[in-house]
Amino acid sequence: MAGVAVTNAVLVLGAVYMVFPVLWLVFASLKDPAGLYSTSVFDIDRWFIGDNIAALVAEGDGLFVRWIGNSLLYSLAGAVIGGIVSTAAGYAFDKLRFRGKESLFGFVLVGVLVPNTATVLPLYMLFSQLGMVNTVWAIILPSLCNPFNVYLARAFSRAYVPDETLEAAHVDGAGAVRTFFSVALPMLAPGFVTIALFQFFAVWSNYMLPLVMLSDPTLYPVSLGISHWQGLTAVDPRYAPLVVTGSLLSLVPLVIAFISLQRYWRAGMTEGSVK
C-alpha cells in the first residue's frame, strides 16, 4: 500500500507540474497589464480576455494571425510530407532487400543522437549558398526528414505489415511503389498518424531554426513571433498581455490535433510498445 501511495503522490505531483503552467496562462490572459503585474496568479477582479484578444489580433495589422498561419503551413507540411517520407523510409528498411541496408540504417540511427540545434548552423550555411535563407523553404525542407521518425516507422512496419500480404500483392502484379501506397500505407495508418503528430508538435514548437533562418517578421512562426514581442515588454508593458494571450491561443491547434487524432496515435503507441 505504501508503494501505491508513493506512486500516486508522484503522479499527482507530475500532473500538477504539467498543468500549472497552462492554468497560469489561462488566468494571466484574463488580466490587463496593471493586474498582471500587481495581483496574485488567481486573483481576478474583472475579465479582460476579450480586450486582450482584440488587441492581439489588431497588433501589427494582424501579425499574430499571420504567425499562426505560418506555423500551420510549416507544421502541416512537415507532418504530412515528412510523415510520408519517414514512413516510406522505415518501410523500405524493414521490407526491402538491398546491399548495405543495415549499415545505412545504422547511419540513420547515428542521426538520432545528433541534437537538432547542432545542425542549424550547417543548414544555414547550405541554404545561404542556395539563396533560400529567409524563405519558407528554409523552415519546411529541414523538417521533411527526421531520423527518429524513420526508426519509429521501421518498428511500425514490422508490427503492422505482414510479409505474406506483400508477397500476395507481388503475385497479383503490383510493383514496389504501388504495393507501398495501396497495400502497406493503409495498414500503417496508425503509425503514420503517430509520426505525423510528433512531427507537427516538433515543427510547431521549433524555435532555434526559425531564429537563425528568418529575418522577415511576416515569415515568423508563432513561437518566434511571441518571443519577439516578449523582448519588447521591458520597454512597453502593453505587450505583456499580448504575449500571455498569444501563448495561450497558440496551444489551441495543438490541443485540437491531439484530441481529434487520439484514436489513431493511442492505437499506434500501444501497438508499437508491445512489438
Side-chain angles (χ1 to χ4, degrees), residues 164-198:
E164 294 80 4
T165 304
L166 300 182
E167 292 173 0
H170 292 318
V171 169
D172 289 340
V177 176
R178 183 179 177 184
T179 300
F180 171 71
F181 283 101
S182 300
V183 179
L185 190 57
M187 301 173 73
L188 286 169
F192 169 75
V193 172
T194 303
I195 291 171
L197 200 57
F198 285 164

Side-chain angles (χ1 to χ4, degrees), residues 144-157:
L144 299 185
C145 187
N146 186 306
F148 181 69
N149 289 339
V150 175
Y151 169 77
L152 278 181
R154 188 185 192 188
F156 284 124
S157 177

Side-chain angles (χ1 to χ4, degrees), residues 42-243:
F42 301 109
D43 186 10
I44 305 294
D45 293 330
R46 179 186 169 191
W47 289 19
F48 290 90
I49 183 66
D51 296 336
N52 291 338
I53 292 177
L56 179 70
V57 174
E59 181 66 26
D61 293 329
L63 202 53
F64 178 78
V65 178
R66 189 179 184 91
W67 291 341
I68 290 289
N70 291 339
S71 289
L72 286 174
L73 172 64
Y74 304 149
S75 301
L76 288 175
V80 177
I81 302 176
I84 292 177
V85 170
S86 296
T87 304
Y91 167 83
F93 278 120
D94 178 44
K95 301 301 181 186
L96 303 186
R97 297 179 180 177
F98 53 89
R99 181 178 297 177
K101 181 174 76 172
E102 294 303 325
S103 299
L104 185 58
F105 185 67
F107 184 74
V108 172
L109 293 182
V110 172
V112 177
L113 304 177
V114 178
N116 290 333
T117 53
T119 65
V120 171
L121 187 56
L123 284 173
Y124 175 81
M125 301 299 292
L126 175 62
F127 279 78
S128 178
Q129 293 181 354
L130 297 174
M132 300 175 70
V133 171
N134 201 32
T135 67
V136 297
W137 301 111
I139 307 301
I140 292 176
L141 292 180
S143 65
L144 299 185
C145 187
N146 186 306
F148 181 69
N149 289 339
V150 175
Y151 169 77
L152 278 181
R154 188 185 192 188
F156 284 124
S157 177
R158 286 182 174 176
Y160 284 104
V161 185
D163 294 336
E164 294 80 4
T165 304
L166 300 182
E167 292 173 0
H170 292 318
V171 169
D172 289 340
V177 176
R178 183 179 177 184
T179 300
F180 171 71
F181 283 101
S182 300
V183 179
L185 190 57
M187 301 173 73
L188 286 169
F192 169 75
V193 172
T194 303
I195 291 171
L197 200 57
F198 285 164
Q199 190 72 352
F200 185 90
F201 287 174
V203 177
W204 186 276
S205 58
N206 194 0
Y207 175 77
M208 189 67 183
L209 183 66
L211 177 66
V212 174
M213 292 290 187
L214 302 178
S215 57
D216 184 356
T218 61
L219 297 177
Y220 284 178
V222 68
S223 58
L224 185 58
I226 290 178
S227 175
H228 173 68
W229 279 353
Q230 170 65 30
L232 301 177
T233 57
V235 294
D236 189 352
R238 183 176 59 87
Y239 281 96
L242 303 185
V243 171

